[in-house]
Amino acid sequence: MSGGLLWIGRFLLRALLFLVVALSAVWIGFCLYFQLPLPDIAKSIAVLAWALFAVAILTLEIARPSWRVRGLYILAIIVFAAWWSTILPTNDRDWRPEVAHGVTGTVDGDIVTLSNVRDFDWRSDTDFTERWETRRYDLSKLATVDLVLGYWMGPQIAHTIISFGFTDGQHLSFSAEIRPDKTQEFSALAGFFRVFNLVLIAADERDVIYVRTNVRREDLYLYPIEMPQAGMRALFLSYVESGNALAARPKFYNTLTTNCTTVVFRLIRALDPGLPRDYRILLSGYLPDYVFEHQGYRTGLSREEFRARAAISALALAAGNTPGFSAAIRPPTGLAGALPVDKP
């Protein structure tokens, strides 16, 4: 009996080692593909060589397991890790115009001065008038916080924006985004492998929503967040702190762990640590259900009605690029239902 258990234990250990080697080899292969500073042909040869090495290790693990062979693979992992640690984020590249500047700010009592607030006039994704402005906001005039979700690659994934409204009619939005340089195009797969930086964009709401609804024709939904004024202030300041931190110490964007939704969730959770973790933070397209389930009062609406009343794309298309854009995308009666993240 003990001999049988010993055999099973050895088998499970070998199976686990095989799985670890196989998965790590695939991951390293992608890392090499996306990060080796080589011409495409040389890069392909390097990835092929790594694949052959990994297959040889796996074959020997099946046919003739040996700690020498395993040690050789561990040595390869160490060499890879040493190289991987040299790939660092940077703020010093020739960035695409729409992400050329991350927001930074200073605070003096109720007055926040933000540098690099984006206010583009968009005609198409490649035709626009650039404007980066310095703006001042009075936090005593904070009136609303809205969660905006934009769908652009199916129902599972949505881009997340937090938008603040003030009693003087201003609306400012914060959007955590990838920061490609002028040679790069977005790739969700590449986003796992330190290809893109993370940037926090502060933008006039007409800019950041209009480009998605009227130029890219994405489906956008706006959900008010129920929050006392003190909570709005704390959340706004947390974005200012995040922008300053990214300017001082850049970070990589990660498709799974450091993206537009996870950044927003971490900021809101800092205000209410009791806000539960949920798979819908990663599959951000399902956030409306999360909002619906964790609101603090009854809306009187079904899930479908709650979501339908949040749709703003048709309103944005009708409004066009006008000064009254923010008012036009909000129904006069508002939306019932909100997500409480800070209670008075």
Side-chain angles (χ1 to χ4, degrees):
M1 182 69 176
S2 60
L5 290 175
L6 183 60
W7 181 89
I8 292 174
R10 288 176 176 172
F11 174 81
L12 292 176
L13 177 60
R14 288 180 60 189
L16 178 61
L17 286 171
F18 185 93
L19 183 62
V20 168
V21 171
L23 292 178
S24 62
V26 171
W27 186 76
I28 290 174
F30 278 113
C31 291
L32 296 174
Y33 176 77
F34 284 112
Q35 287 293 353
L36 279 177
L38 299 171
D40 288 344
I41 295 178
K43 186 185 299 186
S44 298
I45 292 173
V47 172
L48 178 60
W50 169 256
L52 292 174
F53 172 76
V55 169
I57 294 293
L58 290 170
T59 301
L60 289 171
E61 181 62 30
I62 295 173
R64 191 180 299 174
S66 165
W67 282 108
R68 289 184 178 180
V69 173
R70 295 167 185 167
L72 179 62
Y73 188 75
I74 291 172
L75 178 61
I77 292 290
I78 292 173
V79 172
F80 164 79
W83 167 71
W84 191 246
S85 68
T86 67
I87 302 173
L88 302 174
T90 179
N91 284 327
D92 186 20
R93 286 186 184 171
D94 188 13
W95 306 110
R96 286 169 55 169
E98 64 270 28
V99 291
H101 304 287
V103 66
T104 58
T106 59
V107 182
D108 183 11
D110 286 335
I111 305 303
V112 177
T113 302
L114 297 183
S115 299
N116 300 320
V117 176
R118 198 179 73 187
D119 187 20
F120 283 22
D121 279 325
W122 296 89
R123 291 174 290 276
S124 75
D125 249 344
T126 56
D127 180 18
F128 43 78
T129 301
E130 294 183 47
R131 280 194 302 268
W132 295 94
E133 300 178 346
T134 296
R135 294 188 179 183
R136 289 178 176 81
Y137 297 90
D138 186 345
L139 297 184
S140 68
K141 296 180 179 180
L142 272 171
T144 61
V145 179
D146 298 312
L147 170 69
V148 182
L149 298 177
Y151 292 80
W152 52 278
M153 59 177 298
Q156 293 82 21
I157 303 297
H159 183 74
T160 307
I161 298 167
I162 294 290
S163 194
F164 293 87
F166 295 79
T167 56
D168 60 7
Q170 293 188 88
H171 285 84
L172 179 75
S173 299
F174 290 97
S175 175
E177 302 188 7
I178 68 163
R179 196 180 196 184
D181 63 35
K182 290 182 179 178
T183 69
Q184 295 175 314
E185 296 293 336
F186 175 73
S187 163
L189 182 58
F192 286 100
F193 301 102
R194 298 186 176 181
V195 172
F196 304 113
N197 272 27
L198 178 71
V199 65
L200 183 62
I201 297 294
D204 190 285
E205 190 180 72
R206 181 200 51 78
D207 168 328
V208 75
I209 292 181
Y210 177 87
V211 69
R212 288 173 167 81
T213 54
N214 295 46
V215 174
R216 300 172 187 166
R217 300 304 174 98
E218 298 174 8
D219 290 325
L220 263 69
Y221 296 80
L222 185 149
Y223 298 92
I225 298 175
E226 182 71 16
M227 186 182 295
Q229 222 269 350
M232 297 180 196
R233 178 190 181 101
L235 184 59
F236 191 100
L237 291 176
S238 71
Y239 274 103
V240 178
E241 292 171 3
S242 295
N244 289 340
L246 282 173
R249 188 175 182 180
K251 292 182 179 181
F252 283 116
Y253 175 94
N254 185 282
T255 300
L256 186 64
T257 62
T258 311
N259 56 48
C260 60
T261 304
T262 57
V263 169
V264 169
F265 181 77
R266 286 170 186 160
L267 290 172
I268 294 180
R269 201 166 188 270
L271 300 175
D272 182 5
L275 196 65
R277 298 183 183 276
D278 196 283
Y279 76 94
R280 287 166 291 194
I281 301 302
L282 300 178
L283 295 177
S284 51
Y286 299 123
L287 269 175
D289 284 342
Y290 184 84
V291 173
F292 186 83
E293 290 173 8
H294 294 94
Q295 56 196 345
Y297 58 90
R298 294 180 180 272
T299 64
L301 303 174
S302 67
R303 291 176 187 266
E304 294 73 20
E305 291 169 333
F306 182 74
R307 182 181 175 89
R309 292 189 66 180
I312 63 171
S313 291
L315 295 173
L317 287 169
N321 190 5
T322 62
F325 182 84
S326 289
I329 64 174
R330 290 169 170 84
T333 56
L335 292 173
L339 174 64
V341 296
D342 192 9
K343 297 173 184 173

